[in-house]
Coordinates of all heavy atoms in Angstrom, one line a residue:
M1 N -6.6 -6.0 -16.3 CA -5.6 -5.9 -15.2 C -5.2 -4.5 -15.0 O -5.2 -3.7 -16.0 CB -4.4 -6.8 -15.6 CG -4.6 -8.2 -15.5 SD -4.9 -8.8 -13.8 CE -4.2 -10.4 -13.9
V2 N -4.8 -4.2 -13.8 CA -4.4 -2.8 -13.4 C -2.9 -2.9 -13.0 O -2.5 -3.8 -12.3 CB -5.2 -2.3 -12.2 CG1 -4.7 -1.0 -11.7 CG2 -6.7 -2.3 -12.6
K3 N -2.1 -2.0 -13.6 CA -0.7 -2.0 -13.3 C -0.4 -1.2 -12.0 O -0.9 0.0 -12.0 CB 0.1 -1.5 -14.5 CG 0.0 -2.4 -15.7 CD 1.3 -2.5 -16.4 CE 1.3 -3.4 -17.6 NZ 1.2 -4.8 -17.3
I4 N 0.3 -1.7 -11.1 CA 0.7 -1.0 -9.9 C 2.3 -1.1 -9.8 O 2.8 -2.2 -9.9 CB 0.1 -1.6 -8.6 CG1 -1.4 -1.5 -8.7 CG2 0.6 -0.9 -7.4 CD1 -2.2 -2.2 -7.6
T5 N 2.9 0.0 -9.5 CA 4.3 0.0 -9.3 C 4.6 0.2 -7.8 O 4.2 1.1 -7.2 CB 5.0 1.1 -10.1 OG1 4.7 0.8 -11.5 CG2 6.5 1.1 -9.9
F6 N 5.4 -0.8 -7.3 CA 5.9 -0.7 -5.9 C 7.4 -0.3 -6.0 O 8.2 -0.9 -6.7 CB 5.8 -2.0 -5.2 CG 4.4 -2.5 -5.0 CD1 3.7 -3.2 -5.9 CD2 3.7 -2.2 -3.8 CE1 2.4 -3.6 -5.7 CE2 2.4 -2.6 -3.5 CZ 1.7 -3.3 -4.5
I7 N 7.8 0.7 -5.2 CA 9.2 1.1 -5.1 C 9.6 0.9 -3.7 O 9.0 1.5 -2.7 CB 9.4 2.6 -5.5 CG1 8.9 2.8 -6.9 CG2 10.9 2.9 -5.4 CD1 8.8 4.2 -7.3
D8 N 10.6 0.0 -3.5 CA 11.0 -0.4 -2.1 C 11.9 0.7 -1.5 O 12.3 1.6 -2.2 CB 11.6 -1.8 -2.0 CG 12.9 -2.0 -2.7 OD1 13.6 -1.0 -2.9 OD2 13.1 -3.1 -3.1
S9 N 12.3 0.5 -0.3 CA 13.1 1.6 0.4 C 14.5 1.7 -0.2 O 15.1 2.7 0.0 CB 13.2 1.2 1.9 OG 13.8 0.0 2.1
A10 N 14.9 0.7 -0.9 CA 16.2 0.8 -1.6 C 16.1 1.4 -3.0 O 17.1 1.6 -3.7 CB 16.9 -0.6 -1.7
G11 N 14.9 1.7 -3.4 CA 14.7 2.3 -4.7 C 14.4 1.4 -5.8 O 14.3 1.8 -7.0
Q12 N 14.3 0.1 -5.5 CA 14.0 -0.9 -6.6 C 12.6 -0.9 -6.9 O 11.7 -0.9 -6.0 CB 14.4 -2.3 -6.2 CG 14.2 -3.3 -7.3 CD 14.8 -4.7 -6.9 OE1 15.4 -4.9 -5.9 NE2 14.5 -5.6 -7.8
S13 N 12.3 -0.8 -8.2 CA 10.9 -0.7 -8.7 C 10.4 -2.0 -9.3 O 11.2 -2.7 -10.0 CB 10.9 0.4 -9.8 OG 9.6 0.5 -10.3
R14 N 9.2 -2.3 -9.0 CA 8.5 -3.5 -9.5 C 7.1 -3.1 -10.0 O 6.3 -2.6 -9.2 CB 8.3 -4.6 -8.4 CG 9.6 -5.2 -7.9 CD 9.3 -6.0 -6.6 NE 10.5 -6.5 -6.1 CZ 11.4 -5.8 -5.4 NH1 11.2 -4.5 -5.2 NH2 12.5 -6.3 -4.9
T15 N 6.8 -3.4 -11.2 CA 5.5 -3.1 -11.7 C 4.8 -4.5 -11.9 O 5.3 -5.4 -12.6 CB 5.5 -2.4 -13.0 OG1 6.2 -1.1 -12.8 CG2 4.1 -2.1 -13.6
I16 N 3.6 -4.6 -11.3 CA 2.9 -5.9 -11.3 C 1.5 -5.7 -11.8 O 0.9 -4.6 -11.7 CB 3.0 -6.6 -10.0 CG1 2.4 -5.7 -8.8 CG2 4.4 -7.0 -9.6 CD1 2.4 -6.3 -7.5
D17 N 0.9 -6.7 -12.3 CA -0.5 -6.7 -12.7 C -1.4 -7.1 -11.5 O -1.1 -8.1 -10.8 CB -0.8 -7.7 -13.8 CG -0.1 -7.3 -15.1 OD1 -0.1 -6.0 -15.4 OD2 0.3 -8.1 -15.9
A18 N -2.4 -6.3 -11.3 CA -3.3 -6.5 -10.2 C -4.7 -6.8 -10.7 O -5.1 -6.1 -11.7 CB -3.3 -5.3 -9.2
E19 N -5.4 -7.7 -10.1 CA -6.8 -8.0 -10.4 C -7.8 -6.9 -9.8 O -7.6 -6.7 -8.6 CB -7.2 -9.3 -10.0 CG -6.5 -10.5 -10.7 CD -7.0 -11.8 -10.3 OE1 -8.2 -12.0 -10.0 OE2 -6.2 -12.7 -10.2
E20 N -8.7 -6.4 -10.6 CA -9.7 -5.5 -10.0 C -10.5 -6.3 -9.0 O -10.8 -7.5 -9.1 CB -10.6 -5.0 -11.1 CG -10.0 -4.0 -12.0 CD -10.9 -3.3 -13.0 OE1 -11.9 -2.7 -12.5 OE2 -10.7 -3.5 -14.2
G21 N -10.8 -5.6 -7.9 CA -11.5 -6.2 -6.8 C -10.7 -6.7 -5.7 O -11.1 -6.8 -4.5
A22 N -9.4 -7.0 -6.0 CA -8.5 -7.4 -4.9 C -8.0 -6.2 -4.2 O -8.3 -5.0 -4.6 CB -7.3 -8.1 -5.5
T23 N -7.3 -6.3 -3.1 CA -6.7 -5.2 -2.4 C -5.3 -5.1 -2.9 O -4.7 -6.0 -3.4 CB -6.7 -5.3 -0.9 OG1 -5.9 -6.4 -0.5 CG2 -8.1 -5.5 -0.4
V24 N -4.7 -3.9 -2.7 CA -3.3 -3.7 -3.1 C -2.4 -4.6 -2.3 O -1.5 -5.2 -2.8 CB -2.9 -2.2 -2.9 CG1 -1.4 -2.0 -3.0 CG2 -3.7 -1.3 -3.9
M25 N -2.8 -4.8 -1.0 CA -2.0 -5.7 -0.1 C -2.0 -7.2 -0.7 O -1.0 -7.8 -0.7 CB -2.5 -5.7 1.3 CG -1.8 -6.5 2.3 SD -2.4 -8.0 3.0 CE -4.0 -8.3 2.3
E26 N -3.2 -7.7 -1.0 CA -3.3 -9.0 -1.6 C -2.4 -9.2 -2.8 O -1.7 -10.2 -3.0 CB -4.8 -9.3 -1.9 CG -5.7 -9.5 -0.7 CD -7.1 -9.5 -1.1 OE1 -7.5 -9.0 -2.1 OE2 -7.9 -10.0 -0.3
T27 N -2.5 -8.2 -3.6 CA -1.6 -8.1 -4.9 C -0.1 -8.2 -4.5 O 0.6 -9.0 -5.1 CB -2.0 -6.9 -5.7 OG1 -3.4 -6.9 -6.0 CG2 -1.1 -6.9 -7.0
A28 N 0.3 -7.4 -3.5 CA 1.7 -7.4 -3.1 C 2.1 -8.7 -2.6 O 3.2 -9.2 -2.9 CB 1.9 -6.3 -2.1
V29 N 1.3 -9.3 -1.7 CA 1.6 -10.6 -1.1 C 1.8 -11.7 -2.2 O 2.7 -12.5 -2.2 CB 0.6 -11.0 0.0 CG1 0.8 -12.4 0.4 CG2 0.8 -10.0 1.2
R30 N 0.8 -11.7 -3.1 CA 0.8 -12.7 -4.2 C 2.0 -12.6 -5.0 O 2.5 -13.6 -5.6 CB -0.4 -12.6 -5.1 CG -1.7 -13.2 -4.5 CD -2.8 -13.2 -5.6 NE -4.0 -13.1 -4.9 CZ -5.0 -12.2 -5.0 NH1 -4.8 -11.2 -6.0 NH2 -6.1 -12.2 -4.4
N31 N 2.6 -11.4 -5.1 CA 3.7 -11.2 -6.0 C 5.0 -11.0 -5.3 O 6.0 -10.6 -5.9 CB 3.4 -10.0 -6.9 CG 2.4 -10.3 -7.9 OD1 2.7 -10.8 -9.0 ND2 1.1 -9.9 -7.6
G32 N 5.0 -11.3 -4.0 CA 6.3 -11.3 -3.2 C 6.9 -9.9 -3.1 O 8.2 -9.8 -3.1
V33 N 6.1 -8.9 -3.0 CA 6.7 -7.5 -2.9 C 7.3 -7.4 -1.5 O 6.7 -7.6 -0.5 CB 5.6 -6.4 -3.1 CG1 6.1 -5.1 -2.8 CG2 5.0 -6.5 -4.5
P34 N 8.6 -7.1 -1.5 CA 9.3 -6.9 -0.2 C 8.8 -5.7 0.6 O 8.2 -4.8 0.0 CB 10.8 -6.6 -0.6 CG 10.9 -6.5 -2.0 CD 9.5 -6.8 -2.6
E35 N 8.9 -5.8 1.9 CA 8.5 -4.8 2.8 C 7.0 -4.6 3.0 O 6.5 -3.7 3.6 CB 9.1 -3.4 2.5 CG 10.7 -3.5 2.5 CD 11.4 -2.3 2.0 OE1 10.8 -1.5 1.3 OE2 12.5 -2.1 2.4
I36 N 6.2 -5.6 2.4 CA 4.8 -5.7 2.7 C 4.6 -7.0 3.4 O 4.6 -8.1 2.8 CB 3.9 -5.7 1.4 CG1 4.2 -4.4 0.6 CG2 2.5 -5.9 1.7 CD1 3.4 -3.2 1.0
E37 N 4.5 -6.9 4.8 CA 4.4 -8.2 5.6 C 3.0 -8.7 5.7 O 2.8 -9.9 5.7 CB 5.1 -7.9 6.9 CG 6.6 -7.7 6.8 CD 7.2 -7.2 8.1 OE1 6.6 -7.4 9.2 OE2 8.3 -6.7 8.1
A38 N 2.1 -7.8 5.9 CA 0.6 -8.2 6.0 C 0.4 -9.3 7.0 O -0.3 -10.3 6.7 CB 0.2 -8.6 4.6
E39 N 0.9 -9.1 8.2 CA 0.8 -10.1 9.2 C -0.7 -10.4 9.6 O -1.0 -11.6 10.0 CB 1.5 -9.6 10.5 CG 3.0 -9.6 10.3 CD 3.8 -9.1 11.5 OE1 3.1 -8.7 12.5 OE2 5.0 -9.0 11.4
C40 N -1.6 -9.5 9.5 CA -3.0 -9.8 9.9 C -3.8 -10.3 8.7 O -5.0 -10.5 8.9 CB -3.6 -8.5 10.5 SG -4.1 -7.2 9.4
G41 N -3.2 -10.4 7.6 CA -4.0 -10.9 6.4 C -5.0 -10.0 5.8 O -5.8 -10.4 5.0
G42 N -4.9 -8.7 6.1 CA -5.8 -7.7 5.5 C -6.9 -7.3 6.4 O -7.9 -6.7 5.9
A43 N -6.9 -7.5 7.7 CA -8.0 -7.2 8.6 C -7.9 -5.8 9.2 O -8.6 -5.4 10.1 CB -8.0 -8.2 9.7
C44 N -6.9 -5.0 8.7 CA -6.7 -3.6 9.2 C -6.4 -3.7 10.7 O -7.0 -2.9 11.5 CB -7.9 -2.7 8.9 SG -7.5 -1.0 9.1
A45 N -5.5 -4.6 11.1 CA -5.3 -4.8 12.5 C -3.8 -4.9 12.9 O -3.4 -5.2 14.0 CB -5.9 -6.1 13.0
C46 N -2.9 -4.5 11.9 CA -1.5 -4.6 12.3 C -0.6 -3.5 11.7 O 0.5 -3.3 12.2 CB -0.9 -6.0 11.9 SG -0.7 -6.2 10.1
A47 N -0.9 -2.9 10.6 CA -0.1 -1.8 10.0 C 1.2 -2.3 9.3 O 2.0 -1.5 9.0 CB 0.2 -0.7 10.9
T48 N 1.3 -3.6 9.1 CA 2.5 -4.1 8.4 C 2.4 -4.1 6.9 O 3.3 -4.7 6.2 CB 2.9 -5.5 8.9 OG1 1.8 -6.4 8.6 CG2 3.2 -5.5 10.4
C49 N 1.3 -3.5 6.4 CA 1.2 -3.4 4.9 C 1.2 -1.9 4.5 O 0.8 -1.5 3.5 CB -0.1 -4.0 4.4 SG -1.6 -3.3 5.0
H50 N 1.8 -1.1 5.4 CA 1.9 0.4 5.3 C 2.7 0.7 4.0 O 3.7 0.1 3.7 CB 2.7 0.9 6.5 CG 3.0 2.3 6.5 ND1 4.1 2.8 7.1 CD2 2.4 3.4 5.9 CE1 4.2 4.1 7.0 NE2 3.1 4.5 6.3
V51 N 2.1 1.7 3.2 CA 2.7 2.2 2.0 C 2.6 3.7 2.0 O 1.8 4.3 2.7 CB 2.1 1.6 0.7 CG1 2.4 0.1 0.6 CG2 0.6 1.9 0.6
Y52 N 3.4 4.3 1.1 CA 3.3 5.7 0.8 C 2.7 5.8 -0.6 O 3.3 5.3 -1.5 CB 4.6 6.4 0.8 CG 5.4 6.3 2.1 CD1 6.7 5.8 2.1 CD2 4.8 6.6 3.3 CE1 7.4 5.7 3.3 CE2 5.5 6.5 4.5 CZ 6.8 6.0 4.5 OH 7.5 5.9 5.7
V53 N 1.6 6.5 -0.7 CA 0.9 6.7 -2.0 C 1.7 7.9 -2.7 O 1.9 8.9 -2.1 CB -0.6 7.0 -1.9 CG1 -1.2 7.3 -3.2 CG2 -1.3 5.9 -1.2
D54 N 2.1 7.7 -3.9 CA 2.7 8.8 -4.7 C 1.7 10.0 -4.7 O 0.5 9.8 -4.8 CB 3.0 8.3 -6.1 CG 3.7 9.4 -6.9 OD1 3.0 10.2 -7.5 OD2 4.9 9.3 -6.9
P55 N 2.2 11.2 -4.4 CA 1.4 12.4 -4.3 C 0.4 12.5 -5.5 O -0.7 13.0 -5.3 CB 2.3 13.5 -4.3 CG 3.6 12.9 -3.6 CD 3.6 11.5 -4.2
A56 N 0.8 12.1 -6.7 CA -0.1 12.2 -7.9 C -1.3 11.3 -7.8 O -2.3 11.5 -8.5 CB 0.7 11.9 -9.2
W57 N -1.3 10.3 -6.9 CA -2.3 9.3 -6.8 C -3.2 9.4 -5.5 O -4.1 8.6 -5.3 CB -1.7 7.9 -6.9 CG -1.2 7.6 -8.2 CD1 0.0 7.8 -8.7 CD2 -2.0 7.1 -9.3 NE1 0.1 7.4 -10.0 CE2 -1.2 7.0 -10.4 CE3 -3.3 6.8 -9.5 CZ2 -1.6 6.6 -11.7 CZ3 -3.8 6.3 -10.7 CH2 -2.9 6.2 -11.8
V58 N -2.9 10.4 -4.7 CA -3.6 10.5 -3.4 C -5.1 10.7 -3.6 O -5.9 10.0 -2.9 CB -3.0 11.7 -2.5 CG1 -3.9 12.0 -1.4 CG2 -1.6 11.3 -2.1
A59 N -5.5 11.5 -4.5 CA -6.9 11.8 -4.7 C -7.6 10.5 -5.3 O -8.7 10.1 -4.8 CB -7.1 12.9 -5.7
A60 N -6.9 9.7 -6.1 CA -7.5 8.5 -6.7 C -7.7 7.4 -5.7 O -8.6 6.6 -5.8 CB -6.7 8.0 -7.9
T61 N -6.7 7.3 -4.7 CA -6.8 6.2 -3.7 C -7.8 6.6 -2.6 O -8.2 5.7 -1.9 CB -5.4 5.9 -3.1 OG1 -4.9 7.1 -2.6 CG2 -4.5 5.3 -4.2
G62 N -8.1 7.9 -2.4 CA -9.0 8.3 -1.4 C -8.3 8.5 0.0 O -7.1 8.2 0.1
K63 N -9.1 8.9 0.9 CA -8.6 9.1 2.3 C -8.8 7.9 3.2 O -9.7 7.1 2.9 CB -9.4 10.3 2.9 CG -9.1 11.6 2.3 CD -9.7 12.7 3.1 CE -9.3 14.0 2.6 NZ -9.1 15.0 3.7
A64 N -8.0 7.8 4.2 CA -8.1 6.7 5.1 C -9.3 6.8 6.0 O -9.7 7.9 6.4 CB -6.8 6.6 6.0
E65 N -10.0 5.7 6.2 CA -11.2 5.7 7.1 C -10.6 5.8 8.6 O -9.4 5.5 8.8 CB -12.0 4.5 6.9 CG -12.6 4.3 5.5 CD -13.7 5.3 5.3 OE1 -14.4 5.7 6.3 OE2 -13.8 5.8 4.2
P66 N -11.5 6.2 9.5 CA -11.0 6.3 10.9 C -10.3 5.1 11.5 O -9.3 5.2 12.1 CB -12.3 6.6 11.7 CG -13.1 7.3 10.7 CD -12.9 6.6 9.4
M67 N -10.8 3.9 11.2 CA -10.1 2.6 11.7 C -8.7 2.5 11.1 O -7.8 2.2 11.8 CB -10.9 1.4 11.3 CG -10.3 0.1 11.9 SD -11.4 -1.3 11.7 CE -11.3 -1.6 9.9
E68 N -8.5 2.8 9.8 CA -7.2 2.8 9.2 C -6.3 3.9 9.8 O -5.1 3.6 10.1 CB -7.4 3.0 7.7 CG -6.0 3.0 6.9 CD -6.2 3.2 5.5 OE1 -7.3 3.4 4.9 OE2 -5.1 3.3 4.8
E69 N -6.8 5.1 10.0 CA -6.0 6.1 10.7 C -5.5 5.7 12.0 O -4.4 5.9 12.4 CB -6.8 7.4 10.8 CG -7.0 8.1 9.4 CD -7.9 9.4 9.6 OE1 -8.3 9.7 10.7 OE2 -8.1 10.0 8.5
D70 N -6.4 5.0 12.8 CA -6.0 4.5 14.1 C -4.9 3.5 14.0 O -3.9 3.5 14.8 CB -7.2 3.8 14.8 CG -8.2 4.9 15.3 OD1 -7.9 6.1 15.3 OD2 -9.3 4.4 15.6
M71 N -4.9 2.6 13.0 CA -3.9 1.6 12.8 C -2.6 2.3 12.3 O -1.5 1.8 12.7 CB -4.3 0.6 11.8 CG -5.1 -0.6 12.3 SD -4.1 -1.7 13.3 CE -4.6 -1.1 14.9
L72 N -2.7 3.3 11.6 CA -1.4 4.0 11.1 C -0.7 4.6 12.3 O 0.5 4.8 12.2 CB -1.8 5.1 10.1 CG -2.1 4.6 8.7 CD1 -2.7 5.7 7.8 CD2 -0.8 4.0 8.0
D73 N -1.3 4.8 13.4 CA -0.6 5.2 14.6 C 0.5 4.2 15.0 O 1.4 4.6 15.7 CB -1.6 5.5 15.8 CG -2.4 6.7 15.6 OD1 -2.1 7.6 14.7 OD2 -3.5 6.8 16.3
F74 N 0.3 3.0 14.6 CA 1.2 1.9 15.0 C 2.3 1.7 13.9 O 3.2 0.8 14.1 CB 0.5 0.6 15.3 CG -0.5 0.7 16.4 CD1 -1.8 0.9 16.2 CD2 0.0 0.6 17.7 CE1 -2.7 1.0 17.3 CE2 -0.9 0.8 18.8 CZ -2.2 0.9 18.6
A75 N 2.2 2.4 12.8 CA 3.2 2.2 11.7 C 4.4 3.1 12.0 O 4.4 4.1 12.7 CB 2.5 2.6 10.4
F76 N 5.5 2.6 11.4 CA 6.8 3.4 11.4 C 6.8 4.4 10.3 O 6.3 4.2 9.2 CB 8.0 2.5 11.3 CG 8.2 1.6 12.5 CD1 7.7 0.3 12.4 CD2 8.8 2.1 13.6 CE1 7.9 -0.6 13.5 CE2 8.9 1.2 14.8 CZ 8.5 -0.1 14.7
E77 N 7.5 5.5 10.5 CA 7.7 6.5 9.5 C 6.4 7.0 8.7 O 6.4 7.1 7.5 CB 8.7 6.0 8.5 CG 10.0 5.5 9.1 CD 10.9 4.8 8.1 OE1 10.5 4.5 7.0 OE2 12.0 4.4 8.5
V78 N 5.4 7.3 9.5 CA 4.1 7.7 8.9 C 4.3 9.1 8.2 O 5.0 10.0 8.8 CB 3.0 7.8 9.9 CG1 1.7 8.3 9.4 CG2 2.8 6.4 10.5
Q79 N 3.8 9.2 7.1 CA 3.9 10.5 6.3 C 2.5 10.9 5.9 O 1.5 10.1 6.0 CB 4.7 10.3 5.1 CG 6.2 10.0 5.4 CD 7.0 9.8 4.1 OE1 6.6 9.9 3.0 NE2 8.3 9.4 4.3
P80 N 2.3 12.1 5.4 CA 0.9 12.5 5.0 C 0.3 11.6 3.9 O -0.9 11.6 3.9 CB 1.2 14.0 4.4 CG 2.4 14.4 5.1 CD 3.3 13.2 5.3
T81 N 1.1 11.0 3.1 CA 0.5 10.1 2.1 C 0.4 8.6 2.5 O 0.2 7.8 1.7 CB 1.3 10.2 0.8 OG1 2.6 9.8 1.0 CG2 1.3 11.7 0.2
S82 N 0.7 8.3 3.8 CA 0.6 7.0 4.3 C -0.8 6.4 4.2 O -1.8 7.0 4.5 CB 1.1 6.9 5.7 OG 2.5 7.1 5.9
R83 N -0.8 5.1 3.8 CA -2.0 4.3 3.8 C -1.7 2.9 4.1 O -0.5 2.5 4.0 CB -2.7 4.3 2.4 CG -3.3 5.6 1.9 CD -4.6 6.0 2.6 NE -5.6 5.0 2.7 CZ -6.5 4.8 1.8 NH1 -6.6 5.5 0.7 NH2 -7.4 3.8 1.9
L84 N -2.7 2.1 4.5 CA -2.5 0.7 4.6 C -3.0 0.1 3.3 O -4.1 0.3 2.9 CB -3.3 0.1 5.8 CG -2.9 0.7 7.2 CD1 -3.8 0.0 8.3 CD2 -1.5 0.5 7.5
S85 N -2.1 -0.7 2.7 CA -2.4 -1.3 1.4 C -3.6 -2.2 1.4 O -4.3 -2.5 0.4 CB -1.2 -1.9 0.7 OG -0.7 -3.0 1.5
C86 N -3.9 -2.8 2.6 CA -5.1 -3.7 2.7 C -6.4 -2.9 2.6 O -7.5 -3.5 2.4 CB -5.1 -4.4 4.0 SG -5.3 -3.5 5.5
Q87 N -6.4 -1.6 2.7 CA -7.6 -0.8 2.6 C -7.7 -0.1 1.3 O -8.7 0.7 1.1 CB -7.6 0.2 3.7 CG -7.5 -0.4 5.1 CD -8.7 -1.3 5.4 OE1 -9.9 -0.8 5.3 NE2 -8.5 -2.6 5.6
I88 N -6.9 -0.4 0.3 CA -7.0 0.2 -1.0 C -7.4 -0.9 -2.0 O -6.7 -1.8 -2.2 CB -5.6 0.8 -1.5 CG1 -5.1 1.9 -0.5 CG2 -5.8 1.4 -2.9 CD1 -3.7 2.4 -0.8
K89 N -8.6 -0.7 -2.5 CA -9.2 -1.7 -3.5 C -8.6 -1.4 -4.9 O -8.6 -0.2 -5.3 CB -10.7 -1.6 -3.5 CG -11.4 -2.3 -2.4 CD -11.4 -3.8 -2.6 CE -12.4 -4.4 -1.6 NZ -12.2 -5.8 -1.5
V90 N -8.2 -2.4 -5.6 CA -7.8 -2.3 -7.0 C -9.0 -2.0 -7.9 O -9.9 -2.8 -7.8 CB -7.0 -3.5 -7.4 CG1 -6.6 -3.4 -8.9 CG2 -5.8 -3.8 -6.5
K91 N -8.9 -0.9 -8.6 CA -10.0 -0.6 -9.6 C -9.3 0.0 -10.8 O -8.2 0.6 -10.7 CB -11.1 0.2 -8.9 CG -10.5 1.5 -8.2 CD -11.6 2.1 -7.4 CE -10.9 3.3 -6.6 NZ -11.7 3.8 -5.6
A92 N -10.0 0.0 -11.9 CA -9.5 0.5 -13.2 C -8.9 1.9 -13.1 O -7.8 2.2 -13.6 CB -10.6 0.5 -14.3
P93 N -9.5 2.9 -12.4 CA -8.9 4.2 -12.3 C -7.5 4.2 -11.6 O -6.8 5.3 -11.7 CB -9.9 5.0 -11.5 CG -11.2 4.3 -11.7 CD -10.8 2.9 -11.8
L94 N -7.1 3.2 -11.0 CA -5.8 3.1 -10.3 C -4.7 2.5 -11.2 O -3.6 2.3 -10.8 CB -5.9 2.3 -9.0 CG -6.7 2.9 -7.9 CD1 -6.7 2.0 -6.7 CD2 -6.4 4.3 -7.6
D95 N -5.0 2.3 -12.5 CA -4.0 1.8 -13.4 C -2.9 2.8 -13.5 O -3.0 3.9 -13.8 CB -4.7 1.6 -14.8 CG -3.7 0.8 -15.8 OD1 -3.0 -0.1 -15.3 OD2 -3.7 1.2 -17.0
G96 N -1.7 2.3 -13.2 CA -0.5 3.1 -13.1 C -0.1 3.6 -11.7 O 0.9 4.3 -11.6
L97 N -0.9 3.2 -10.7 CA -0.6 3.6 -9.3 C 0.8 3.3 -8.9 O 1.4 2.3 -9.3 CB -1.6 2.8 -8.4 CG -1.4 3.0 -6.9 CD1 -1.7 4.5 -6.5 CD2 -2.3 2.0 -6.1
V98 N 1.4 4.3 -8.2 CA 2.8 4.2 -7.7 C 2.8 4.3 -6.2 O 2.2 5.2 -5.7 CB 3.7 5.3 -8.3 CG1 5.1 5.2 -7.7 CG2 3.7 5.2 -9.8
L99 N 3.4 3.3 -5.6 CA 3.5 3.2 -4.1 C 4.9 3.0 -3.7 O 5.6 2.3 -4.4 CB 2.6 2.0 -3.6 CG 1.1 2.1 -4.0 CD1 0.5 0.7 -3.7 CD2 0.4 3.1 -3.2
R100 N 5.3 3.5 -2.6 CA 6.6 3.3 -2.0 C 6.4 2.6 -0.7 O 5.4 2.8 0.0 CB 7.3 4.6 -1.8 CG 7.7 5.3 -3.0 CD 8.5 6.6 -2.8 NE 8.8 7.2 -4.0 CZ 9.8 7.0 -4.8 NH1 10.7 6.0 -4.4 NH2 10.0 7.6 -5.9
T101 N 7.4 1.7 -0.3 CA 7.3 1.0 1.0 C 8.3 1.6 1.9 O 9.4 2.0 1.5 CB 7.5 -0.5 0.8 OG1 8.8 -0.7 0.1 CG2 6.4 -1.1 0.0
P102 N 8.0 1.8 3.2 CA 8.9 2.3 4.2 C 10.0 1.3 4.4 O 9.8 0.1 4.2 CB 8.1 2.5 5.4 CG 6.7 2.1 5.1 CD 6.7 1.5 3.8
S103 N 11.1 1.7 5.0 CA 12.2 0.8 5.3 C 11.9 -0.2 6.4 O 12.5 -1.3 6.4 CB 13.5 1.6 5.6 OG 13.3 2.4 6.7
R104 N 11.1 0.2 7.3 CA 10.8 -0.7 8.4 C 9.3 -0.9 8.5 O 8.5 0.1 8.4 CB 11.2 -0.1 9.8 CG 12.6 -0.3 10.1 CD 13.0 0.4 11.4 NE 12.3 -0.1 12.5 CZ 12.2 0.6 13.7 NH1 12.8 1.7 13.8 NH2 11.5 0.1 14.7
Q105 N 8.9 -2.1 8.7 CA 7.4 -2.4 8.9 C 7.3 -2.7 10.4 O 8.1 -3.3 11.0 CB 7.0 -3.6 8.0 CG 7.1 -3.3 6.5 CD 6.1 -2.2 6.1 OE1 4.9 -2.2 6.6 NE2 6.5 -1.3 5.2
G106 N 6.1 -2.3 10.9 CA 5.8 -2.6 12.3 C 5.1 -3.9 12.5 O 4.6 -4.3 13.3

């Protein structure tokens, strides 16, 4: 299992176990993480699973692909470390990943 910490817009932290091969979004939904709506179910079609990757983890999570970048145009409060959690695959090197959720989801 890979540990991922989600910090919501109010500052509440939740560390959960994620299965390798799942997406960060699937993990968040299964564990009831607030502020991750995932309306499209992970199809990279809605931007409601928007997260901010902690700066220390940006290199490990990689860059957004063009389709993801296009969807981020529809997200609220986009920042340089913004990603869609449906596009981040859980893998062993991400053990300890820290993500923040924006206060509003689109």
Side-chain angles (χ1 to χ4, degrees):
M1 289 294 213
V2 174
K3 296 220 179 283
I4 300 176
T5 299
F6 292 88
I7 303 169
D8 68 26
S9 62
Q12 184 174 353
S13 176
R14 293 166 185 76
T15 300
I16 56 179
D17 289 326
E19 291 182 36
E20 286 187 61
T23 65
V24 170
M25 185 251 359
E26 291 167 336
T27 301
V29 169
R30 278 189 210 124
N31 290 277
V33 173
E35 302 174 337
I36 303 277
E37 295 172 17
E39 290 175 5
C40 75
C44 196
C46 72
T48 61
C49 67
H50 176 209
V51 294
Y52 304 125
V53 177
D54 185 271
W57 289 94
V58 169
T61 57
K63 291 188 171 216
E65 296 292 324
M67 184 170 73
E68 180 182 355
E69 287 178 1
D70 289 345
M71 274 291 100
L72 282 168
D73 289 342
F74 297 101
F76 291 100
E77 304 171 356
V78 174
Q79 297 179 1
T81 63
S82 288
R83 291 289 310 271
L84 298 182
S85 60
C86 68
Q87 300 300 298
I88 303 172
K89 283 279 193 195
V90 176
K91 52 191 176 195
L94 294 183
D95 189 38
L97 176 64
V98 177
L99 303 167
R100 293 183 181 273
T101 55
S103 59
R104 275 176 62 197
Q105 295 293 320

